[in-house]
Amino acid sequence: AQSVAQPEDQVNVAEGNPLTVKCTYSVSGNPYLFWYVQYPNRGLQFLLKYITGDNLVKGSYGFEAEFNKSQTSFHLKKPSALVSDSALYFCAVRDNTGRRALTFGSGTRLQVQP
Amino acid sequence: DVKVTQSSRYLVKRTGEKVFLECVQDMDHENMFWYRQDPGLGLRLIYFSYDVKMKEKGDIPEGYSVSREKKERFSLILESASTNQTSMYLCASSLDLMQGAANSPLHFGNGTRLTVT
């Protein structure tokens, strides 16, 4: 079985400050990890992914994420938040065998204050 | 650019009605998925399909069925709508995950907000 936990329902940060959105996962094999963002009244948009290789992956809009195998975490980060980053963020995982579908976390709402 | 189109943005149906949610993708993707999104629960997988006429149950298939007669179209069917099926429904597609494109991201439609009264 595969699962994802996003422990924070909401994260508040001031514009210009660094942000972190947390994600931990559980899979039976090696993980494929993804972050998606959802703006109001829209579907989800792909941000970045970790498949293998460098533990720090860079994605769209200046976001990056750090894979930590020992802590089974894949936290989303950005050095300097923008008001326009305010949205709902989802972490997702699948293992590298068997099931083809992603399992998503419950989502974290990021609020960036001007 | 990949486009996933869901035929309705908003739907209001009555309890007991048969409801069809339609999804079309234009990128020749093998895989298609139906998720429902509820506050605090994130996205939960209802059904997915990895080929025409093939389907697999997701985590919450009860009360739903699907149809994939053509590669580009994946329909979600609520056989007899109930109020607990009021939700946002999201369709997605991706390249085949088992043939070298295992890292292929999902491409989502804008969603159908279904209300069952």
Side-chain angles (χ1 to χ4, degrees):
Chain A
Q2 52 192 38
S3 65
V4 175
Q6 292 181 245
E8 303 153 316
D9 290 336
Q10 180 156 326
V11 170
N12 298 308
V13 64
E15 188 174 29
N17 283 1
L19 70 87
T20 299
V21 182
K22 295 180 180 177
C23 171
T24 59
Y25 67 89
S26 174
V27 295
S28 54
N30 290 321
Y32 296 144
L33 293 153
F34 300 79
W35 276 100
Y36 286 82
V37 60
Q38 186 179 37
Y39 297 103
N41 299 313
R42 301 296 301 276
L44 277 69
Q45 297 177 32
F46 169 73
L47 269 182
L48 52 78
K49 66 192 177 197
Y50 170 82
I51 303 302
T52 187
D54 195 350
N55 288 345
L56 185 65
V57 294
K58 295 187 184 296
S60 307
Y61 313 120
F63 283 93
E64 57 191 27
E66 187 169 11
F67 171 65
N68 187 316
K69 188 172 184 178
S70 63
Q71 297 185 5
T72 61
S73 67
F74 189 56
H75 300 331
L76 181 70
K77 300 182 180 185
K78 188 174 182 181
S80 179
L82 299 172
V83 172
S84 58
D85 292 330
S86 298
L88 191 55
Y89 291 81
F90 290 95
C91 182
V93 69
R94 65 175 288 264
D95 65 32
N96 63 344
T97 61
R99 181 180 164 123
R100 301 165 182 257
L102 292 181
T103 295
F104 285 82
S106 56
T108 298
R109 185 164 299 282
L110 174 65
Q111 198 68 41
V112 182
Q113 282 104 19
Chain B
D1 210 19
V2 178
K3 192 162 184 181
V4 179
T5 303
Q6 294 184 232
S7 55
S8 302
R9 187 76 182 92
Y10 297 96
L11 272 180
V12 180
K13 296 292 181 180
R14 294 186 179 226
T15 301
E17 277 193 80
K18 190 169 186 176
V19 181
F20 293 86
L21 303 183
E22 306 288 346
C23 175
V24 177
Q25 50 96 2
D26 66 357
M27 283 301 292
D28 203 36
H29 283 172
E30 286 83 3
N31 298 303
M32 296 189 75
F33 307 82
W34 277 106
Y35 288 88
R36 63 177 281 179
Q37 181 181 4
D38 300 288
L41 297 177
L43 275 71
R44 293 179 291 166
L45 181 67
I46 305 171
Y47 267 97
F48 66 102
S49 168
Y50 51 89
D51 201 353
V52 175
K53 297 192 185 295
M54 304 301 288
K55 60 186 179 184
E56 285 198 29
K57 293 180 180 179
D59 299 315
I60 51 164
E62 297 79 17
Y64 303 94
S65 62
V66 290
S67 172
R68 192 159 181 210
E69 297 295 319
K70 294 185 178 181
K71 192 174 186 179
E72 67 270 18
R73 185 180 297 271
F74 192 36
S75 302
L76 180 69
I77 304 157
L78 286 65
E79 297 291 343
S80 177
S82 63
T83 55
N84 63 11
Q85 293 179 308
T86 292
S87 186
M88 170 69 86
Y89 290 87
L90 294 171
C91 175
S93 72
S94 72
L95 288 170
D96 181 37
L97 296 175
M98 302 301 282
Q99 293 188 16
N103 56 353
S104 174
L106 297 180
H107 298 269
F108 282 87
N110 283 339
T112 296
R113 186 167 293 283
L114 172 67
T115 301
V116 183
T117 60

